[in-house]
Amino acid sequence: MNEVHVLFEGYSTQNPDGSMSANCSCVLIKTGEVRILVDSMTPWDGPKIKESLSQHHCLSQDDIDFVVSTHGHSDHVGNNNLFLKATHIVGHSMSHKDKYFEHDFDASSFTLSPGVFVKATPGHTLDSVSVIVTDTRLGTIAIVGDLFEKEEDLLDDQVWIEAGSENVSKQRQNRAAILALADQIVPGHGPMFSVHKAKVS
Ligand SMILES: [Zn+2]
């Protein structure tokens, strides 16, 4: 059975002075053989990611085989440099040391481990991806970056549109596709939620 652990729940809040505070959801996926980190937060979060991996999962940064950044925004890629043994996927680009791999994510998903794959879900950015994990205790879990900002955006389109969408109609289409295939969604900036009764507004 595959395991999904939300190391840190993402958030985004409007401050009284009009500025925004935000950080992304950071997720560890453990399978039989392979360990994957999804979205590495801001550059200031390295010590707490390392501490969470070691204290709760007895893992060091060198035990991570893949780092997937759902897209290239600065609050999702800040600590990629901690994971030097990993293969890195950032949106549609993939590299390990100086080897740069091409994969046509628009044509097919990319399998990281049995039941764990990376799928193109453009909208928030045109090269955004989601990680789909099947066979977990909670069914199929989709870790979607900012395709979904937070659960509240199911009821109010403006929440995800105002968070930034490079292509609203593609994002709407991919949101529907993820709702159809997942039991649980980890959004970019909110706690994991169940899709049982969720509908795209
Ligand atoms: Zn974000």
Side-chain angles (χ1 to χ4, degrees):
M1 186 155 281
N2 295 319
E3 293 178 31
V4 171
H5 301 276
V6 177
L7 300 183
F8 298 98
E9 274 177 2
Y11 61 87
S12 59
T13 51
Q14 197 79 41
N15 299 317
D17 67 359
S19 66
M20 171 81 93
S21 294
N23 210 335
C24 71
S25 300
C26 176
V27 175
L28 171 69
I29 301 165
K30 292 202 275 187
T31 73
E33 300 287 318
V34 174
R35 296 173 181 99
I36 302 148
L37 188 102
V38 185
D39 284 344
S40 66
M41 307 174 79
T42 81
W44 294 268
D45 299 309
K48 73 183 201 187
I49 294 176
K50 281 203 282 188
E51 189 186 319
S52 175
L53 286 172
S54 70
Q55 293 206 339
H56 301 298
H57 301 283
C58 299
L59 295 173
S60 84
Q61 64 260 48
D62 288 345
D63 295 320
I64 300 298
D65 302 290
F66 290 96
V67 174
V68 180
S69 304
T70 55
H71 59 292
H73 287 168
S74 55
D75 55 335
H76 293 254
V77 300
N79 296 287
N80 286 5
N81 191 44
L82 271 183
F83 303 99
L84 299 180
K85 299 265 171 76
T87 294
H88 288 258
I89 299 174
V90 180
H92 287 201
S93 64
M94 192 179 341
S95 57
H96 186 87
K97 299 187 179 174
D98 66 350
K99 299 282 181 296
Y100 188 88
F101 306 102
E102 299 281 352
H103 179 78
D104 186 354
F105 285 90
D106 289 322
S108 63
S109 53
F110 183 85
T111 300
L112 303 177
S113 179
V116 184
F117 59 93
V118 181
K119 175 183 167 52
T121 50
H124 178 66
T125 66
L126 296 180
D127 71 345
S128 287
V129 295
S130 296
V131 183
I132 312 299
V133 189
T134 63
D135 191 28
T136 79
R137 198 169 52 81
L138 298 172
T140 295
I141 300 179
I143 302 136
V144 300
D146 294 355
L147 180 65
F148 290 81
E149 174 82 355
K150 53 183 71 172
E151 184 174 8
E152 289 84 334
D153 76 15
L154 292 168
L155 299 174
D156 182 359
D157 274 350
Q158 290 314 309
V159 176
W160 60 268
I161 293 171
E162 282 170 12
S165 179
E166 291 182 2
N167 187 317
V168 169
S169 71
K170 276 191 179 166
Q171 187 161 349
R172 199 184 296 281
Q173 204 179 316
N174 282 304
R175 286 163 57 85
I178 290 293
L179 285 172
L181 75 80
D183 298 301
Q184 302 281 330
I185 291 175
V186 181
H189 296 275
M192 180 159 74
F193 60 89
S194 162
V195 304
H196 283 321
K197 290 175 188 153
K199 291 184 191 135
V200 174
S201 60

